[in-house]
Amino acid sequence: MSKWNMIIDVAECTNCHLCTLATSDEYVDNQFKGYAAPMPKHGHRWIDILQKERGQGTMIDIAYVPTMCNHCDDAPCIKAASNGAITKRPDGVVIIDPVKSKGQRQIVESCPYGHVWWNEDLQIPQHWNFDAHLLDNGWKQPRGGQVCPTGAMKAVKLDDSAMAAKAKAEGLERMKEELGTKPRVWYRNLAPFKTAFIGGSVSKSVAGLVECVEGAVVVLSKDGREIARQTTDNYGDFKFDGLSENSGAYGVEIAGGKRVDAELKDGSVSLGEIRI
Amino acid sequence: MSIASGQLRVILFGLVHVLKYTARKYPEFAARIKEHDVIAQMVAKDEELGRWYQFRGGKITSGFGIHPKPDVTIAFKNAKIAASLLTPPFNWLDQINAQKDFTMTVQGDDGLLNWFAQTIMLTQSIGWDMGIPQADGSMRYCNMANGGPLFVYVKDGKIIRTTSIDFDDSDPQPWTIEAKGVKLTPPRRTTLAPHGQNSKAMVYSPDRCLYPMKRVDFDPSGERNPQNRGKSGYVRISWEEALELVSSEIKRTKRTYGPGVMAVSHGSHHTWGNIGYYLSALYRFRNAVGHTAVHHNPDSWEGWYWGAAHHWGYSLRVGQSETYGTVEDCLQNSEMIVFWSADPETTSGSYGAQEGTVRRQWLKDPKLGIKVVHIDPFYNSSAQFLPGKWMAPRPTTSPAMAMAIAYVWIKEDLYDKDYVSTHTVGFDKWKAYLLGDEDGVPKTPEWQEAETGVPAKDVRALAREWASKRTYLAPGGWGNGHGGACRNQTGIQWARVMVCLIAMQGLGKPGVNMGNLQWGCPVDLNFYFPGYAEGGMSGDIEGTSLPVELYQRMPQLPTMNTSNQKIPRIFMPEAILEGKAEGYLWNGKSIEHQFAKVNYPAAGHAPVRMLYKYGGSMIATMNNTNRHVKMYQSENLEFVVNQSIWMEGEAKFADLILPACTNFERVDISEWAALGGYGHHGQQQVNNRVVIFQAPAIKPLGESKSDYWIFTEICKKLGLANYFNEGMNEIDWVKRQFEASDLPKHISWKKFIKKGYFVVPTEKEKLRAPVSFRWFWENRAKDVPEPLPLPSDYSGEYLKGLQTQSGKLEFECNSLIRAGDPERPPIVKYEPSWEGMHSGAMFEKFPLQLVTPHSKYSFHTQGDGKDSFLLNIDDHRVKVDNWYYWIIRLNPEDAAARGIRKHDLVKVYNDRGAVLCAALPTARLARGTVHGYESCAIYAPMGEPGKSIDRGGCLNLLTPHRTQTKSTHSLAGANSLVEVEVWDGRIEHMSEAFAKDSPPATPMVHARVAEFVAAK
């Protein structure tokens, strides 16, 4: 049986917010019986784009990460709900019934991802329901996927084994995998959101002028052991990425003798210019 | 009886039955003919043959012959002419000629005549079938936002959904480019800008103006209280009262003072649609009434128009060059793109939605081997999306950095000397300046470092890499201009030096050009559909590009303004307050037109005493705009009417508000990103050309009306209705525009209005437009499809060479030698900004440079505020203490030094004003630079307007209105000096400049329309 999965490519998200705007367009002042009650105009973020800025100076990057209800196969919200208010459909989609869920605030608390939202006016929990009413009417993509200009958000309908194989082949990850909730939302290129870098720019004085050093070998070490090495580009830049956040002290050595200490604490480190 | 008179009898008799049949079939038509009791007749004068039609209590009677007392008459010279003009399908040229030759004339009340003519026209259009029914009972229409084309789903009279358009199987396949072994094809769909997907929230905004409203303390026959504008509330009035007020004020001010007494001020944009656009309906109206035009500066292109044009010509596109074929050339031949103050992922090419983003995404394919570099004080959205080296010069210092690059090329012999010698003039002069021969200061990388803060080593590395690779230079959002650094104090220098850099590398060689894949798509540009600047129904053969092509294709009554007076827009407050202002002309005909002065008042003309304002964007988009508050409160403006969709910006400074509806509530027709005129072939931005029939999705909300309706009704009170609308309904103009285009060769009207959109077929590869400047590099005649330079602007043979005097790229500009402007020397030189780190005491007091680029989520003021969905985006506004504050970004160290944390409310201020914002510390800016988008829609002074802190977010209250140079009418306000501090809770703005005349503040919070009305 093929089931819906959402694949997010973090490298292609520009924070344009078309997915969040389209979701507001779909649900504000609209109700879809059996699927969803109207979404409040403000305050709910059924799709929420997280962001992470890394680095300092002119060596920085930003990752934008759209998050939403994960449509977990082992969904804590289903267990928390009474009265059969939440169902798991055969196609993988989780639906919070807008009528049966009335008053069940515990459903909001049960979601480890913070993606069930309490509608104060209607006294119901709400979530991004994969735009199931549209999929059931033949739409190929939910609103966010339909409108995303870069394909950073794309729903696929695959059976679980095919999806698992795809995830493995393409290195897809899920949020808080360790909780065992089995999310159906997958991420590509999530590393910048979860890891840190150490970078810098190597320069030297040549005939009285400071020049970028291209081709310098830079060695990154931890606890005295080399863990990576790179060659600088034409701007003298190097950037060791994918390091564990808050992982402490590192050494950066430029072949030829210069050594600089770096510490990963509260984010990434741009060492700036390193004159050799 | 002649054959013609026989025909005419049949036609006139047939009309009776058409009217009666239509009334039986359509209840709304039956209701319409109850509106007036009138006897209308049509006659052929020579044979005294005629028929009258009597409408009484909704009943139609008719008789053959001449009626003794008709209310209105349409008279034809003879039966032949009458029969010919009244037989469908109408030939519009014949119709217009008959009016010009007086072979068709009218007598009687202008309003009743107009009603009769529109009623007859309505019999044709009333049954037209628009939109596609959906399975769920909804209807799907189409529309066009500034942010792209939309499907609009409507159920029970309500818009339930708006989406981008996915093409169906019958639509054409898009183009393919093969580059370096990679086949690149855009998807079969349209994209949207964020403000486009915000459309539903805009339509249903609680800030809509839904009823005509009069300021409570405005009495046209007594106290007008201009000093209370912006403070008083409003009272709802009827349309009849509103129309009477505005038309009687037009008459009164003209009679009292003379022609041109009414100024008309519109924003730079409008809701989309060629008939309802400001360059269409408004221009026809303002010409019919007579007005002082508020003459626009070339906003968003400043440096290109006033600067770059002298080096390469291209007055056509406000100083931006041709861009044809550059998508293909860039992908196939270039190895690097230098984005310089270019953020197309934010600006969407204005109207290009995310079409360019789709193409730039291809740059991530390593097989194409195209590196990118970003130069911008702000780590912008394009830098985030397309990883590459980022260099962050201080705002306004980019010209110095560019000159240092040229210096390295000269010293290290890294430029195309052959090209420079054969295709350019004046290089030696500039070279001498760069090397320091002229002023003793070599423009070295070290020299620029002191100005820009960019390490000299990085500039050297960039200069060398650039010269070693076939490189596209991409300044501004469109890749050859538009937005960015051209809007600050050194914008003219920057645009000029950009042209000089690409000239040194051989502009036009394969892979060496201007662009960032935003323009230059290989779409079929021979297919004609008019852009908005072609003037629609304006009849304006002087103020739009109508006469070039559309006027012939869509004959219409010409319109001309009889007042020659203009107010240069940047100095509008001075014009009103001091009665004097001076600027320079924006006119694309030639390079030299820009040297013409615009003086207010014009000799012998009346001073402006009435303002017809269209929308509320000026306080947010002009500079130093507390000036505008003073202007509005001046008694020199005896009457201010604002025709506005939303109660926003300065709408609340009007005496009378006329509620206009959105383009979702009226009919129109348009093409995506088709600017026409000064944006010739703007469709090169989109991957698929899409023409839209903008069906009215819903009825106008409240008592709001289309601009066309409002103008028609005002014109009825001035006897101008039939001149204004030619007896047509809006949809008749829409059909005329359809017929004037190439659409009928491909799709029937019936199918077009049902389906709602048309995708222009893809051109064969061999018929694509040639690459820009390739002809120039290869010394051939110009072969790209654009109308300028005009023939007389060639100094050699027609089509040989550029628009410049030499026909070549000019490092030393002949037009500037002739102009003798000390601030624009013939070669571009670096002159530091007059508002920056060299500003002495001002810089000490206000040490932060505020950059105010075009906004990412709203389209200027469009989409912002209004309780729209955009408020939910924290990078647009953030909610603090129940108010959505504008974001001000600053470097984390600058923030820490001021004790500012994320989302703290901070006062951003200088001597011009103070704005309350929410702070966002970010490493996207170097120390000393702060960033906030220009153009919010909310002006919300917390106390006395003009003298207290604004918490709407109008950063343009703080920006300088001084022009970049004295002899240009150029905005310079994208950079200003400010200080930022944690807000102390006071609402008065206590700067010295304001303190001395600041009265005690009366707290006033932003109020919605309903509250305004309640306030009475």
Side-chain angles (χ1 to χ4, degrees):
Chain A
M1 168 97 199
S2 65
K3 300 179 185 176
W4 287 103
N5 299 271
M6 177 59 90
I7 301 175
I8 309 282
D9 190 338
V10 174
E12 304 307 326
C13 179
T14 66
N15 200 34
C16 73
H17 271 276
L18 280 168
C19 54
T20 71
L21 292 165
T23 302
S24 293
D25 177 87
E26 186 67 27
Y27 293 101
V28 173
D29 289 335
N30 286 334
Q31 63 171 323
F32 302 100
K33 286 207 172 108
Y35 295 96
M39 178 168 85
K41 196 170 187 182
H42 307 294
H44 281 205
R45 294 170 190 264
W46 293 5
I47 297 179
D48 189 19
I49 304 177
L50 308 179
Q51 53 182 282
K52 180 159 192 172
E53 195 176 283
R54 304 191 305 169
Q56 303 84 32
T58 54
M59 188 176 282
I60 73 165
D61 58 31
I62 307 172
Y64 296 110
V65 184
T67 62
M68 63 276 288
C69 169
N70 277 293
H71 293 269
C72 305
D73 280 347
D74 195 359
C77 61
I78 296 181
K79 293 173 195 144
S82 59
N83 192 26
I86 306 184
T87 47
K88 180 81 177 174
R89 307 197 326 177
D91 64 358
V93 171
V94 172
I95 296 279
I96 303 178
D97 187 294
V99 176
K100 290 181 186 166
S101 64
K102 184 145 187 171
Q104 296 198 44
R105 207 177 189 121
Q106 79 282 4
I107 292 171
V108 174
E109 316 303 329
S110 73
C111 178
Y113 300 97
H115 259 297
V116 181
W117 305 82
W118 185 248
N119 186 321
E120 200 60 51
D121 289 343
L122 302 176
Q123 292 291 304
I124 55 169
Q126 294 186 288
H127 72 144
W128 176 75
N129 72 3
F130 227 114
D131 299 344
H133 64 291
L134 296 176
L135 301 178
D136 292 351
N137 265 311
W139 283 54
K140 308 272 193 298
Q141 288 286 322
R143 293 292 306 268
Q146 192 266 345
V147 77
C148 180
T150 62
M153 184 178 287
K154 210 172 250 177
V156 295
K157 205 173 182 194
L158 293 171
D159 68 45
D160 284 347
S161 60
M163 186 62 224
K166 182 181 176 69
K168 196 171 172 203
E170 298 177 14
L172 306 181
E173 303 173 67
R174 295 184 286 191
M175 291 291 187
K176 299 185 184 176
E177 186 88 55
E178 67 280 4
L179 297 179
T181 59
K182 299 180 188 157
R184 305 199 71 83
V185 179
W186 304 79
Y187 291 88
R188 185 179 288 130
N189 295 313
L190 190 59
F193 188 67
K194 302 196 307 184
T195 62
F197 73 74
I198 295 172
S201 305
V202 182
S203 68
K204 69 177 175 188
S205 192
V206 182
L209 296 176
V210 180
E211 299 280 8
C212 300
V213 180
E214 182 175 6
V217 175
V218 185
V219 174
L220 181 74
S221 61
K222 182 147 186 64
D223 304 326
R225 284 203 319 275
E226 175 181 334
I227 55 172
R229 67 170 53 206
Q230 278 187 12
T231 307
T232 55
D233 68 12
N234 60 314
Y235 296 101
D237 290 350
F238 63 90
K239 185 176 177 184
F240 295 101
D241 206 345
L243 305 171
S244 295
E245 292 185 313
N246 303 308
S247 52
Y250 288 83
V252 173
E253 190 162 353
I254 320 296
K258 188 107 178 185
R259 195 193 140 85
V260 189
D261 291 329
E263 187 178 8
L264 287 182
K265 192 180 81 178
D266 303 330
S268 295
V269 173
S270 306
L271 294 164
E273 185 178 350
I274 303 169
R275 187 81 55 87
I276 58 171
Chain B
M1 187 175 77
S2 66
I3 295 173
S5 61
Q7 278 177 338
L8 181 59
R9 280 166 178 254
V10 173
I11 291 166
L12 297 179
F13 182 63
L15 181 59
V16 185
H17 292 280
V18 170
L19 288 166
K20 287 183 174 173
Y21 169 80
T22 311
R24 277 199 304 276
K25 188 162 180 197
Y26 300 101
E28 64 266 40
F29 192 83
R32 180 184 171 88
I33 60 170
K34 280 186 193 151
E35 288 172 5
H36 293 288
D37 287 347
V38 60
I39 298 166
Q41 75 172 352
M42 291 201 253
V43 298
K45 288 198 278 191
D46 64 339
E47 299 186 39
E48 300 204 340
L49 166 91
R51 177 169 279 279
W52 52 265
Y53 308 86
Q54 176 167 294
F55 300 83
R56 189 168 298 276
K59 288 247 179 324
I60 302 168
T61 50
S62 179
F64 179 72
I66 308 293
H67 195 281
K69 276 184 77 179
D71 296 302
V72 296
T73 300
I74 300 174
F76 302 90
K77 184 172 183 183
N78 58 45
K80 192 174 175 192
I81 290 171
S84 162
L85 293 177
L86 291 174
T87 306
F90 297 131
N91 179 315
W92 297 110
L93 185 59
D94 289 346
Q95 300 280 336
I96 298 303
N97 286 343
Q99 293 171 68
K100 288 176 177 173
D101 297 337
F102 297 90
T103 55
M104 179 171 73
T105 56
V106 293
Q107 291 135 28
D109 180 83
D110 177 64
L112 286 178
L113 259 169
N114 201 246
W115 176 85
F116 178 58
Q118 286 190 331
T119 301
I120 293 174
M121 291 304 293
L122 189 61
T123 61
Q124 295 208 350
S125 60
I126 195 165
W128 285 342
D129 182 16
M130 309 166 197
I132 308 263
Q134 304 294 296
D136 65 354
S138 65
M139 286 293 288
R140 192 196 77 193
Y141 302 107
C142 289
N143 215 303
M144 189 81 83
N146 281 295
L150 291 163
F151 279 148
V152 184
Y153 294 83
V154 178
K155 202 172 181 181
D156 302 328
K158 196 183 104 183
I159 297 172
I160 55 170
R161 175 185 301 121
T162 59
T163 74
S164 55
I165 295 178
D166 291 324
F167 298 158
D168 68 27
D169 293 341
S170 70
D171 295 320
Q173 294 295 321
W175 45 266
T176 297
I177 288 174
E178 198 161 351
K180 296 160 189 163
V182 186
K183 281 193 172 167
L184 302 164
T185 305
R188 300 183 67 247
R189 60 163 176 158
T190 65
T191 56
L192 285 169
H195 46 88
Q197 186 62 83
N198 189 43
S199 296
K200 191 175 104 173
M202 302 255 287
V203 172
Y204 292 112
S205 164
D207 288 0
R208 280 287 299 272
C209 298
L210 295 178
Y211 306 98
M213 291 191 294
K214 186 164 70 80
R215 188 158 58 82
V216 285
D217 49 357
F218 174 79
D219 178 2
S221 47
E223 249 335 297
R224 291 182 177 234
N225 292 309
Q227 74 284 357
N228 288 342
R229 291 191 182 119
K231 294 187 272 189
S232 314
Y234 287 87
V235 58
R236 181 177 162 181
I237 59 172
S238 69
W239 263 113
E240 178 51 33
E241 193 182 341
L243 296 165
E244 188 55 40
L245 177 56
V246 67
S247 57
S248 62
E249 282 296 297
I250 288 172
K251 289 180 205 162
R252 182 190 69 81
T253 52
K254 277 170 92 166
R255 281 192 186 135
T256 309
Y257 296 102
V261 66
M262 176 179 82
V264 175
S265 171
H266 55 77
S268 300
H269 306 274
H270 196 46
T271 49
W272 200 260
N274 282 3
I275 301 303
Y277 210 68
Y278 77 83
L279 281 143
S280 178
L282 173 66
Y283 273 28
R284 192 176 190 85
F285 170 74
R286 70 176 200 176
N287 284 350
V289 173
H291 67 285
T292 289
V294 177
H295 186 73
H296 283 205
N297 51 301
D299 47 356
S300 305
W301 286 273
E302 308 288 3
W304 297 89
Y305 179 74
W306 305 106
H310 298 287
H311 293 269
W312 64 4
Y314 295 101
S315 59
L316 169 64
R317 292 192 194 79
V318 212
Q320 291 190 166
S321 69
E322 56 193 67
T323 55
Y324 302 96
T326 48
V327 167
E328 197 163 9
D329 178 55
C330 179
L331 292 167
Q332 289 175 341
N333 300 315
S334 84
E335 298 160 305
M336 185 158 95
I337 304 178
V338 177
F339 287 74
W340 202 318
S341 195
D343 187 11
E345 269 54 58
T346 287
T347 53
S348 305
S350 279
Y351 308 117
Q354 310 255 328
E355 294 290 282
T357 302
V358 169
R359 298 186 290 273
R360 278 183 293 278
Q361 194 174 17
W362 295 336
L363 296 172
K364 298 186 179 198
D365 185 341
K367 288 199 276 294
L368 291 175
I370 302 175
K371 274 184 78 166
V372 295
V373 171
H374 300 276
I375 303 171
D376 195 315
F378 180 55
Y379 183 82
N380 64 38
S381 292
S382 295
Q384 184 273 332
F385 180 54
L386 303 167
K389 180 73 177 171
W390 172 43
M391 300 184 183
R394 287 187 190 101
T396 74
T397 66
S398 272
M401 182 176 165
M403 287 176 191
I405 289 171
Y407 176 90
V408 173
W409 288 346
I410 292 168
K411 292 299 268 190
E412 300 187 10
D413 204 7
L414 295 174
Y415 66 102
D416 190 335
K417 282 184 173 159
D418 290 342
Y419 183 96
V420 166
S421 71
T422 54
H423 288 73
T424 77
V425 296
F427 181 68
D428 288 344
K429 280 264 174 66
W430 197 49
K431 181 178 166 186
Y433 167 75
L434 294 174
L435 296 179
D437 297 350
E438 190 184 310
D439 57 3
V441 181
K443 310 305 176 293
T444 64
E446 279 70 20
W447 164 80
Q448 70 81 43
E449 183 171 337
E451 283 295 308
T452 67
V454 177
K457 67 183 176 67
D458 291 352
V459 170
R460 264 192 291 277
L462 172 62
R464 289 166 189 155
E465 181 176 34
W466 184 332
S468 74
K469 289 184 155 78
R470 290 190 302 275
T471 298
Y472 259 60
L473 172 57
W478 286 3
N480 67 336
H482 190 256
C486 80
R487 297 168 61 245
N488 66 40
Q489 294 86 24
T490 62
I492 291 172
Q493 299 171 40
W494 175 70
R496 293 183 66 182
V497 73
M498 289 295 107
V499 178
C500 293
L501 287 188
I502 201 69
M504 285 180 77
Q505 293 302 333
L507 174 62
K509 285 157 48 176
V512 179
N513 220 309
M514 287 254 201
N516 55 19
L517 307 181
Q518 184 62 37
W519 280 57
C521 264
V523 290
D524 177 8
L525 294 168
N526 303 123
F527 180 98
Y528 179 76
F529 190 87
Y532 69 69
E534 288 178 68
M537 60 163 289
S538 68
D540 190 335
I541 51 178
E542 295 174 328
T544 73
S545 60
L546 184 69
V548 178
E549 183 161 2
L550 184 60
Y551 188 59
Q552 293 77 265
R553 286 175 170 261
M554 186 171 144
Q556 52 187 288
L557 290 176
T559 68
M560 280 181 229
N561 184 23
T562 47
S563 168
N564 197 32
Q565 180 164 270
K566 295 179 173 70
I567 292 176
R569 178 169 69 171
I570 295 171
F571 303 111
M572 181 155 179
E574 286 71 25
I576 300 300
L577 292 164
E578 298 160 24
K580 227 175 141 180
E582 183 182 297
Y584 290 83
L585 199 62
W586 169 21
N587 184 317
K589 275 184 204 146
S590 75
I591 300 172
E592 287 74 21
H593 270 77
Q594 64 175 257
F595 298 127
K597 263 193 186 172
V598 176
N599 279 315
Y600 174 88
H605 282 65
V608 165
R609 288 291 177 263
M610 169 176 167
L611 175 61
Y612 204 112
K613 184 76 188 68
Y614 214 44
S617 62
M618 288 297 141
I619 283 183
T621 57
M622 291 289 102
N623 298 130
N624 192 8
T625 49
N626 275 318
R627 295 180 305 138
H628 290 69
V629 175
K630 288 183 192 157
M631 174 191 84
Y632 274 116
Q633 295 181 341
S634 164
E635 59 186 16
N636 287 345
L637 286 178
E638 295 177 6
F639 182 58
V640 177
V641 54
N642 197 321
Q643 186 163 317
S644 190
I645 301 171
W646 299 279
M647 193 66 170
E648 60 177 347
E650 76 250 45
K652 63 188 171 202
F653 285 82
D655 303 322
L656 174 67
I657 289 170
L658 303 177
C661 68
T662 69
N663 54 327
F664 292 85
E665 298 148 81
R666 59 176 175 84
V667 68
D668 217 318
I669 186 170
S670 61
E671 183 182 357
W672 189 12
L675 294 85
Y678 72 100
H680 186 65
H681 283 156
Q683 302 95 326
Q684 293 174 79
Q685 293 187 78
V686 297
N687 291 318
N688 301 279
R689 287 186 65 179
V690 179
V691 187
I692 294 284
F693 174 70
Q694 301 178 219
I698 55 171
K699 290 198 161 56
L701 297 184
E703 288 184 5
S704 67
K705 300 286 183 186
S706 70
D707 294 320
Y708 182 96
W709 183 93
I710 297 169
F711 295 139
T712 295
E713 295 305 313
I714 294 172
C715 280
K716 280 181 184 171
K717 304 223 171 247
L718 300 168
L720 283 168
N722 289 289
Y723 177 60
F724 171 73
N725 66 22
E726 296 182 9
M728 304 285 127
N729 298 296
E730 265 172 296
I731 197 165
D732 305 315
W733 284 101
V734 169
K735 185 154 186 275
R736 278 166 76 172
Q737 183 101 133
F738 169 87
E739 288 165 355
S741 75
D742 283 344
L743 280 171
K745 296 174 190 166
H746 296 264
I747 187 169
S748 69
W749 171 250
K750 195 175 164 188
K751 192 173 171 196
F752 179 58
I753 64 172
K754 185 131 187 74
K755 185 176 179 182
Y757 72 97
F758 176 77
V759 184
V760 176
T762 306
E763 190 53 276
K764 286 187 185 126
E765 192 173 340
K766 63 182 174 186
L767 295 178
R768 290 175 186 170
V771 181
S772 291
F773 294 106
R774 187 65 44 78
W775 60 273
F776 178 70
W777 177 55
E778 292 177 347
N779 299 310
R780 291 185 282 106
K782 182 167 178 171
D783 61 357
V784 295
E786 63 184 27
L788 261 68
L790 293 171
S792 61
D793 232 4
Y794 286 94
S795 43
E797 278 178 53
Y798 181 51
L799 297 179
K800 293 284 182 67
L802 300 173
Q803 196 177 1
T804 54
Q805 187 177 324
S806 64
K808 296 182 177 185
L809 290 162
E810 296 190 348
F811 285 96
E812 185 185 28
C813 307
N814 279 298
S815 46
L816 290 176
I817 294 173
R818 275 182 269 118
D821 175 0
E823 290 184 291
R824 282 183 291 169
I827 55 165
V828 58
K829 298 180 183 179
Y830 181 64
E831 180 65 37
S833 166
W834 37 258
E835 183 151 338
M837 62 180 183
H838 300 292
S839 297
M842 188 189 185
F843 184 57
E844 278 173 34
K845 199 170 162 195
F846 304 113
L848 298 172
Q849 278 186 277
L850 168 65
V851 290
T852 42
H854 291 144
S855 48
K856 181 175 170 94
Y857 299 103
S858 60
F859 182 55
H860 302 286
T861 61
Q862 289 192 14
D864 177 48
K866 309 184 238 321
D867 196 40
S868 88
F869 299 151
L870 297 188
L871 297 181
N872 300 331
I873 300 172
D874 278 353
D875 282 301
H876 179 69
R877 284 184 185 267
V878 69
K879 194 174 185 180
V880 181
D881 296 339
N882 225 24
W883 181 268
Y884 289 96
Y885 286 92
W886 203 245
I887 298 292
I888 190 85
R889 296 171 181 80
L890 71 174
N891 179 277
E893 290 176 51
D894 283 334
R898 290 163 176 76
I900 294 168
R901 294 157 308 167
K902 185 178 179 181
H903 295 170
D904 276 352
L905 295 186
V906 293
K907 182 169 101 167
V908 187
Y909 68 101
N910 57 22
D911 280 337
R912 302 182 186 106
V915 182
L916 203 51
C917 292
L920 182 60
T922 172
R924 300 172 75 174
L925 295 154
R927 287 203 71 171
T929 307
V930 296
H931 170 289
Y933 293 118
E934 55 90 40
S935 298
C936 76
I938 303 171
Y939 172 61
M942 299 177 80
E944 179 77 14
K947 290 168 183 169
S948 57
I949 295 182
D950 162 55
R951 64 166 170 166
C954 284
L955 291 172
N956 270 327
L957 295 169
L958 313 179
T959 55
H961 72 286
R962 176 175 160 182
T963 49
Q964 291 187 31
T965 70
K966 196 164 179 295
S967 59
T968 58
H969 188 226
S970 53
L971 284 180
N975 168 73
S976 54
L977 289 177
V978 299
E979 180 54 286
V980 180
E981 62 187 37
V982 175
W983 183 43
D984 61 7
R986 289 191 299 175
I987 60 172
E988 319 86 55
H989 176 226
M990 297 303 286
S991 92
E992 285 172 34
F994 278 97
K996 56 178 187 277
D997 64 340
S998 181
T1002 43
M1004 191 192 89
V1005 294
H1006 171 71
R1008 297 207 179 288
V1009 179
E1011 295 165 43
F1012 268 111
V1013 175
K1016 68 156 179 138

